[in-house]
């Protein structure tokens, strides 16, 4: 078995798939671009912060209790090990924090039971009799899955390092236990995750039983084997077999992780029907259950997709992990099908739903990502705080961000015999065999993306550049000469003999757009969102004149907005938005329609990118702005 | 101590109070009116159903485990005894189900510990060591409170019956234990209820320590003594002392029950500041946190009031028990202050939020009461079902409805030396000392209320008739002669020498009104509700042509609605609503504003009273209808 340096999601050569990922080592995000800045901040701030918090919150101590090296109380959630595994995965992808990696690798090996079991909560003598007995709830395979994913990162990023080999061995022993225990079982875990992990472990090891077990778990689901518990079987996607499903439902992260596993299984087994199922469910999410930020999950109660068109901005749950799951699923579907809509969605959710979850500092995070925070909001609780918090009692999101951002470079481009495809734009270098390009861009602040060929083969090949669906005015020059910019299925495909030094400039015009939602979305009726390029904007109380309540502002859709460029400040591009402050009458909560006309002074307020909200004084925010014409 | 036949809430003679309740025996709802029909249905269907369900779901068996007469597993919620207590209270108010009353009275007496403790969950040997040790969670005093309220009903409705005396003795023993244990304690129960119960027990017994303890619990709250647990201290109203509060917060039923207790304590102790606190918090709820149905609670997650103006129709929680609590609180505030706004709110919540929770059959109930059910709604779970259910795993609402409806007659009128005040209109007889009137009305289907004086004293007295705030055209005749109908502070006060046979006809004009919400209520922007008299109307899928999706209907506010009268059918008065079915474009979930004009065929659909929804084929429903003029 030979190891190759790859990122997450590397289908085997025989797998179904239209596009092939580049080896991760063939992509480097360099300073000066937004994506590279995010990745650098992740390595410099988020990852060290996560490592630190694992100590503060007892996650490592939980494992040391198992090895007999600590005797503190078990701390945190019963799946607290996953925070360790995800942070370890992030460390492998980023190639940093070697002391942490060595320490955790040794700790995991020492804590593992002889049969391969590893879970510090259920290894506690007080809980040992519950092992494998409460699968609807236990997250045991979910936890195993994250261990496996850390091992996959280890194997792909540092195959020769002893710590990486140690983690891979530990993960394989646990995976072997799962194969032995569940290889003929009808059971599944309450929280999907292990499916994609086992498929990836198969890709790393070539050991077919891992893939078979992943497939079995996908198929087992939907037969009501889980104790439906408080939220019913739909919460677990256990209400019907996945292949019969037509709509996403239940807990969003569970649904998305399940679909990611299903796609991995489908492409590795040539199961086109299963792949179509995943596409169908993705469509059902995007058609009626996705926020304009790419966030998903309309309900706090059970962290669930809501009903179709139920998309309240204020109670948007839009969990950070769901946005990450959506990004990872879309990548799998993009590889499998080559359809640009998946890349478009990756861009949207990355630049809004995911990016907005992390503070400028890189050390504070949102778990839920609302699109509106009201005046008078009770932000005293971590379920819906007014500011990002440094950690959560259920801390799934921060280390999930760390592992995604550490591997971000692997999700941007694909390649293969036909050429090189650039899907997401960030300053960096991309190579595929003998071909290489350098990308320079201030995107999405700036409209221009410059691609320079730095190495090439002699034969012609296609450089494919995605034109986002939001852009209806793409322009192109090649070596300074205007070239036709006709996108085909969402990509400009430049097929020719390339020479080192060839310079392609793609300009994606970014006029500010007023966007409205489907009229069945009651929660945003009569309101618009401001969008520039891939970025959704928002209004924050910090930019509103004193004494004016954010909820009272409305927008005349026929007045013109201007774009303001600020260089390298915290808000590189803002919008200047003419608004009217509604004079609020005191007629009470309900009154006879039509209400008395009531308009206050006009003013201009600044809109900032949604992903940068809540980096100043905490206060009200809103993405959707009522239209003045609808206010009579 | 002498017993008098009274309903719930009977302040002592020295208590603060502008209005005095009539003795319950002095009011009788007679057949033919809506309120009387509801009360009759309650006695004939709901109460027997509740008694039956207590058997089915093990509530009585739980108590028999304590007495050694059963050995089944403990069943249901840890506060399952409250379902027994509330059903018992309902039986006392309605004067029916004597076999159930006798059986339960004996069972409670037998199950009670020697020290007075009574709670079948915490008397279980497996849980006994947790007694009084988890007050944030245990509902022990909440359960005691419902026992006490059953005893108050017993004492007021059947003071001479052995079973009533038995229940009162049991409740007093438990109350005495509370006084002994918590008389000097800083602690409180996680769920308020015992405060109002103890104040009422004081009113029944004259035993001052009960009132003192109620006052202590009101004052103790807000000092963070409760384990804040998952939802934070605001959930319990334990974040700040009540007297310092300016806004309702947290779990709605907890907040409302606490305020009911606070009003009882305030009026009995002459604490005007505490009364003002309750009025202030009531205002904060009504000004920005109440649905047009009178329902309260915008969040499923923690059954909480949301932020100001956060009032989503689809995710309205609007728990039935909260509506009941709102009704009971408003009655206390009406008695204390005489302000008509409290009676107006009682009317609204009774005819919409409360009435809508019960099926026509009287044996199925909503727990949450949404104002919208979407096409594609997943109604598979009892958290948000598509239909009323016969019982719930947490079955607080059905027996709460039973006890309210059994005592409904006591909430309609007040009296005293100055005269007789009619607040809510139902066919029946009302007497106060030597004065008596008979009310005949088909209100709220009909505009006309006829009041006939059937007994009177010789001296002049005032008959006061409430004119609801929604009515701006009240007309009056006395003995056939038009009389001035000038309401003063919401009441027509007819002060004169009355004669038996005098006949007053009050006509409250009920044009259909289009009502809009405060513009800060984002969730209903560009939509109106249809209201006639006190009744909110709604559209149901059952009344929409086949193939038309309810979400696609919109209303031209300038077209005219007509009212249709159907006599005694299930829907006595409906509205005929001209609507347009929007032709839905397939531009996706988000698109550039303005969307392409898209209008479909015009049609006329029937709107039915909200409180009667979901009595036919389950399907989508909506109270708020988008305006066609806002649809471009």
């Amino acid at each position: 078995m030979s190891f190759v340096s790859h990122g997450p999601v590397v289908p085997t050569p025989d797998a179904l798939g239209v596009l092939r990922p580049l080896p991760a080592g063939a992509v480097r995000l360099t300073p000066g671009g937004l994506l590279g800045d995010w990745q650098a901040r992740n390595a410099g701030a988020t990852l060290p912060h996560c490592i630190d918090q694992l100590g503060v919150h007892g996650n490592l101590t939980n494992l040391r209790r198992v090895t007999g090296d600590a005797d503190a109380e078990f701390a945190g959630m019963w799946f607290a090990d996953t925070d360790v595994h995800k942070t370890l995965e992030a460390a492998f992808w980023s190639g940093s924090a070697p002391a942490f990696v060595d320490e955790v690798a040794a700790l995991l090996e020492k804590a593992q039971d002889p049969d391969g079991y590893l879970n510090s909560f259920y290894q506690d003598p007080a809980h040992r009799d519950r092992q494998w007995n409460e699968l609807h709830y236990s997250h045991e395979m979910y936890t195993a899955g994250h261990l496996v994913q850390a091992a996959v990162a280890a194997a792909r990023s540092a195959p020769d390092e002893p710590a990486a080999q140690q983690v891979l061995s530990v993960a394989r022993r646990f995976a072997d236990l799962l194969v032995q225990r569940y290889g003929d079982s009808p059971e599944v875990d309450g929280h999907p995750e292990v499916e994609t992990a086992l498929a990836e472990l198969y890709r790393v090891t070539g050991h077919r039983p891992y893939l078979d077990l992943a497939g079995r778990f996908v198929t087992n689901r939907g037969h009501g084997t889980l104790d439906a518990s408080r939220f019913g079987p739909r919460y677990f996607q256990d209400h019907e077999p996945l292949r019969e499903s037509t709509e996403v439902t239940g807990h969003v992260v569970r649904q998305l992780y399940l679909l990611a596993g299903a796609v991995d299984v489908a492409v590795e087994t040539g199961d086109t029907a299963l792949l179509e199922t995943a596409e169908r469910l993705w469509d059902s999410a995007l058609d009626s259950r996705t926020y304009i930020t790419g966030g998903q999950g309309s309900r706090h109660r059970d962290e669930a997709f809501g009903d179709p068109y139920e998309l309240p901005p204020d109670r948007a749950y839009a969990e950070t992990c769901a946005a990450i799951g959506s990004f990872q699923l879309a990548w799998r579907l993009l590889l499998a099908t080559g359809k640009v809509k998946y890349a478009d969605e990756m861009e949207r959710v990355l630049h809004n739903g995911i990016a907005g979850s992390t503070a400028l500092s890189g050390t504070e995070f949102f778990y839920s990502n609302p699109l509106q925070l009201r005046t008078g909001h009770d932000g005293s609780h971590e379920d819906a705080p007014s500011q990002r918090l440094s950690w959560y009692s259920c801390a799934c999101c921060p280390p999930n961000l760390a592992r995604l951002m550490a591997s971000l470079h692997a999700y941007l481009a694909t390649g293969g015999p036909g050429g090189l495809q650039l899907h997401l734009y960030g300053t960096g270098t991309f190579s595929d065999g003998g071909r290489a390009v350098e990308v320079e861009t201030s995107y999405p602040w700036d409209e221009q993306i410059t691609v320079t060929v730095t190495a090439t083969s002699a034969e012609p090949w296609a450089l494919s550049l995605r034109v986002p669906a939001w852009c209806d005015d793409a322009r192109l020059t090649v070596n300074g000469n205007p070239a036709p910019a006709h996108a085909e299925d969402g990509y400009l495909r430049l097929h020719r003999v390339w020479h080192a030094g060839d310079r392609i400039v793609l300009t994606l015009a970014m006029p500010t757009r007023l966007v409205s939602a489907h009229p069945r979305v009651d929660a945003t009726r009569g309101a618009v969102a401001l969008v520039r390029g891939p970025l959704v904007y928002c209004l924050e109380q910090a930019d509103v004149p004193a004494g004016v309540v954010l909820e009272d502002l409305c927008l005349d859709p026929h007045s013109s907005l201007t774009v303001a460029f600020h260089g390298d400040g915290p808000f590189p591009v803002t919008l200047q938005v003419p608004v009217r402050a509604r004079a609020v009458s005191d007629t009470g909560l309900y009154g006879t329609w039509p209400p008395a006309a009531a308009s206050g002074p006009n003013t201009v307020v600044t809109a900032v990118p949604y992903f940068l909200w809540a980096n100043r004084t905490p206060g009200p925010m809103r993405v959707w702005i009522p239209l003045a014409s609808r206010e009579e």
Side-chain angles (χ1 to χ4, degrees), chain A:
Chain A
M1 176 75 227
S2 74
F3 292 93
V4 290
S5 172
H6 263 112
V9 196
V10 185
T12 59
D14 293 336
L16 296 179
V18 174
L19 301 172
R20 299 285 166 178
L22 299 184
V27 183
R28 222 178 118 235
L29 288 170
T30 48
L34 189 59
L35 305 190
D37 288 351
W38 287 343
Q39 192 168 65
R41 183 182 66 194
N42 185 64
T46 305
L47 177 57
H49 174 79
C50 288
I51 292 172
D52 182 54
Q53 295 292 305
L54 294 178
V56 170
H57 293 280
N59 302 63
L60 296 176
T61 308
N62 286 341
L63 286 157
R64 291 194 194 103
R65 296 172 78 234
V66 178
T67 63
D69 299 313
D71 60 0
E73 289 275 291
F74 184 90
M77 309 298 280
W78 58 101
F79 46 88
D81 288 0
T82 56
D83 301 336
V84 177
H85 302 329
K86 286 191 278 193
T87 305
L88 181 63
E89 182 186 338
F92 278 121
W93 291 131
S94 80
S96 61
F100 169 78
V101 168
D102 288 347
E103 180 192 2
V104 171
L107 180 58
L108 294 174
E109 187 173 67
K110 190 172 176 191
Q112 188 166 38
D113 281 349
D115 69 351
Y117 191 85
L118 177 54
N119 184 313
S120 67
F121 181 84
Y122 287 99
Q123 289 174 293
D124 184 321
H127 310 139
R128 214 171 243 285
D129 61 332
R130 290 158 58 188
Q131 273 182 22
W132 304 127
N133 283 330
E134 42 191 33
L135 285 185
H136 69 292
Y137 166 90
S138 70
H139 291 55
E140 279 163 291
M141 288 194 246
Y142 169 82
T143 305
H146 278 300
L147 171 66
V148 167
Q149 294 199 326
V152 168
R156 291 201 181 127
S157 63
D160 300 327
E161 286 181 19
Q165 293 169 355
Q166 206 170 10
V167 172
L168 181 62
S169 299
V170 170
R172 288 200 66 164
R173 278 195 291 275
F174 204 169
D176 292 340
L177 175 64
L178 293 180
V179 169
Q180 175 202 322
R181 186 172 184 98
Y182 292 102
D184 296 311
S185 163
E187 292 186 281
V188 295
D189 190 87
H191 199 314
E193 153 65 21
V194 76
E195 297 81 0
T196 185
L198 286 170
E200 283 271 272
L201 188 61
Y202 157 72
R203 289 162 172 169
V204 163
T205 63
H207 189 58
R208 177 87 192 186
Y210 300 149
L211 178 64
D212 293 341
L213 185 58
R216 169 171 277 275
F217 285 142
V218 168
T219 302
N220 279 357
R221 206 166 201 88
H223 294 92
T225 61
L226 294 167
D227 173 354
S229 188
R230 183 173 164 216
F231 296 131
R234 285 172 177 267
Y235 174 79
F236 300 111
Q237 295 82 41
D238 195 32
H239 60 299
E240 64 185 4
L242 181 62
R243 286 178 174 79
E244 297 170 17
S245 291
T246 56
E247 292 188 308
V248 291
T249 190
H251 187 271
V252 179
V253 176
R254 282 172 167 80
Q255 176 74 79
L256 295 173
Y257 283 9
L258 174 63
L259 290 174
V263 175
D264 287 343
V265 168
V267 299
E268 294 298 343
T269 61
D271 188 340
T272 53
L274 184 58
L275 179 58
E276 279 162 20
T277 295
E279 288 204 81
R280 185 168 69 238
L281 267 67
W282 190 90
D283 284 343
S284 81
L286 271 286
D287 286 351
S288 65
R289 292 177 179 91
T290 304
Y291 286 98
I292 194 171
T293 56
Q296 294 173 336
S298 304
R299 297 181 179 177
H300 283 243
R301 179 176 177 273
D302 47 358
E303 309 184 302
F305 285 109
D307 290 337
Y309 303 104
E310 178 193 321
L311 290 164
D314 48 0
R315 289 294 280 174
Y317 194 64
E319 185 185 337
T320 299
C321 286
I324 292 169
S326 173
F327 185 84
Q328 293 171 329
L329 171 61
W331 174 245
R332 284 165 169 81
L333 290 168
L334 175 66
L335 294 178
T337 69
K339 294 177 186 169
V340 69
K341 65 180 179 180
Y342 299 118
D344 282 340
E345 187 56 23
M346 289 175 70
E347 176 178 88
R348 176 168 74 161
V349 71
L350 177 64
H351 286 82
N352 298 285
I354 294 174
S357 65
T358 306
L360 281 170
S361 65
T363 58
E364 293 178 305
F365 315 92
F366 278 125
Y367 190 116
S368 59
N369 293 273
L371 280 75
Q372 177 178 14
L373 198 80
R374 291 180 177 279
T375 301
H377 175 66
D378 165 18
S380 65
H381 196 264
E382 69 173 29
D383 173 58
S386 301
Q387 289 177 277
R388 297 177 186 85
L389 304 178
S390 63
W391 208 244
Y392 285 83
S393 58
C394 173
C396 51
C397 300
N400 214 358
L401 284 163
R403 72 183 185 122
L404 179 77
M405 285 297 171
S407 57
L408 183 61
H409 53 285
Y411 290 96
L412 311 181
T414 52
L420 189 64
Q421 300 88 34
L422 301 184
H423 305 286
L424 300 185
Y425 296 115
T427 292
T429 57
F430 301 79
S431 63
D432 184 26
R435 303 161 189 160
V437 301
E438 187 175 299
V439 175
E440 271 194 281
T441 183
S442 295
Y443 185 92
W445 308 124
D446 190 62
E447 302 178 334
Q448 195 162 301
I449 300 143
T450 301
V451 182
T452 306
V453 177
T454 54
T456 182
S457 50
E459 59 276 17
W461 54 278
L463 175 66
S464 298
L465 305 173
R466 185 179 63 95
V467 176
W470 53 259
C471 180
D472 54 15
D473 179 14
R475 293 182 296 272
L476 191 70
T477 67
V478 178
N479 294 326
N481 303 314
H486 176 64
E488 178 192 326
D489 295 334
Y491 291 88
L492 293 174
R493 301 186 198 280
L494 310 177
H495 186 269
R496 62 186 69 186
V497 174
W498 291 101
H499 305 281
D502 281 346
R503 194 160 175 270
I504 302 99
V505 178
L506 173 64
T507 303
L508 300 170
M510 292 186 185
T512 305
R513 287 168 294 133
L514 269 55
V515 173
S516 56
H518 192 289
R520 288 182 187 165
V521 182
D522 298 279
T524 59
R525 181 178 302 112
V528 293
L530 307 177
V531 185
R532 179 176 179 272
L535 296 183
V536 174
Y537 276 69
C538 68
L539 300 183
E540 284 196 277
Q541 189 69 42
D543 294 309
V544 169
V548 174
V549 173
L550 187 60
E551 283 81 358
D552 294 336
L553 295 184
C554 48
L555 172 73
D556 177 349
H558 302 294
S559 62
S560 43
L561 286 75
T562 54
V563 181
F565 296 89
H566 307 281
D568 280 342
F571 303 99
V573 180
T574 61
L575 307 178
Q576 298 300 308
V577 188
V579 292
R580 200 170 70 199
R582 187 196 303 124
V584 172
S585 63
D586 54 359
T587 53
L589 189 50
Y590 302 103
T592 302
W593 183 91
S599 72
N602 292 326
T603 183
V604 174
V605 297
T606 297
V608 300
Y610 169 77
F611 86 81
L612 291 169
W613 84 281
N615 276 298
R616 295 174 290 176
T617 314
M621 176 277 293
R622 69 186 305 154
V623 166
W624 292 95
I625 311 170
L627 291 171
S629 60
R630 315 288 181 96
E631 285 297 318
E632 79 282 3

